[in-house]
Amino acid sequence: MYLETVTMEKYCVGCGEQIPPKRVKILPHTKTCVKCSETGRKRGLSVQVGEGDHSYTDVVILEEKQFINYIVTENKMRKKYAGQSKAEFFSTDDDDYISPDASENVDQIQD
């Protein structure tokens, strides 16, 4: 039986660090580490969909900027509609919508 030992060491073209061996094994043609990859950070948001017996929970995957926009908008709505019912809170007649590309909203996030 012949056992081949091949070192799969690769180094990131972005930062020069060694790319983790498992990443190289799964993506043999990769040139970047996870940190330097082109794909940006993603966030998951669980949402309840439907009514009564026809409801289910779904997960929506958002880009980082979209998620930040969601948090900023949600915080604004919570302050604006504090003490009101959920039906009033989720009114679609609101002019407070912020575009998903509004990266300047990052500074507005409050805990």
Side-chain angles (χ1 to χ4, degrees):
M1 181 171 159
Y2 176 72
L3 183 63
E4 184 175 305
T5 57
V6 177
T7 58
M8 297 187 70
E9 286 186 24
K10 281 191 169 185
Y11 293 88
C12 178
V13 295
C15 65
E17 296 290 319
Q18 181 180 353
I19 300 171
K22 288 202 179 212
R23 179 174 171 82
V24 175
K25 184 177 181 179
I26 294 168
L27 302 169
H29 300 291
T30 189
K31 295 180 181 180
T32 58
C33 63
V34 175
K35 196 178 202 180
C36 295
S37 71
E38 292 181 50
T39 304
R41 185 176 184 177
K42 308 274 190 229
R43 300 277 188 115
L45 183 65
S46 59
V47 292
Q48 185 77 29
V49 183
E51 294 181 17
D53 291 343
H54 303 287
S55 64
Y56 61 95
T57 302
D58 199 1
V59 176
V60 177
I61 306 298
L62 301 172
E63 297 288 337
E64 183 71 9
K65 288 181 181 180
Q66 292 173 318
F67 182 79
I68 290 170
N69 179 55
Y70 170 80
I71 296 297
V72 169
T73 304
E74 183 181 43
N75 286 339
K76 281 185 176 183
M77 298 299 284
R78 286 183 189 275
K79 288 178 186 176
K80 184 174 182 176
Y81 294 106
Q84 295 182 9
S85 72
K86 285 187 178 181
E88 292 170 313
F89 178 81
F90 289 112
S91 171
T92 56
D93 299 332
D94 223 338
D95 291 334
D96 288 341
Y97 177 75
I98 304 170
S99 109
D101 294 328
S103 58
E104 65 272 4
N105 297 331
V106 174
D107 299 331
Q108 298 177 19
I109 296 178
Q110 299 175 5
D111 295 322

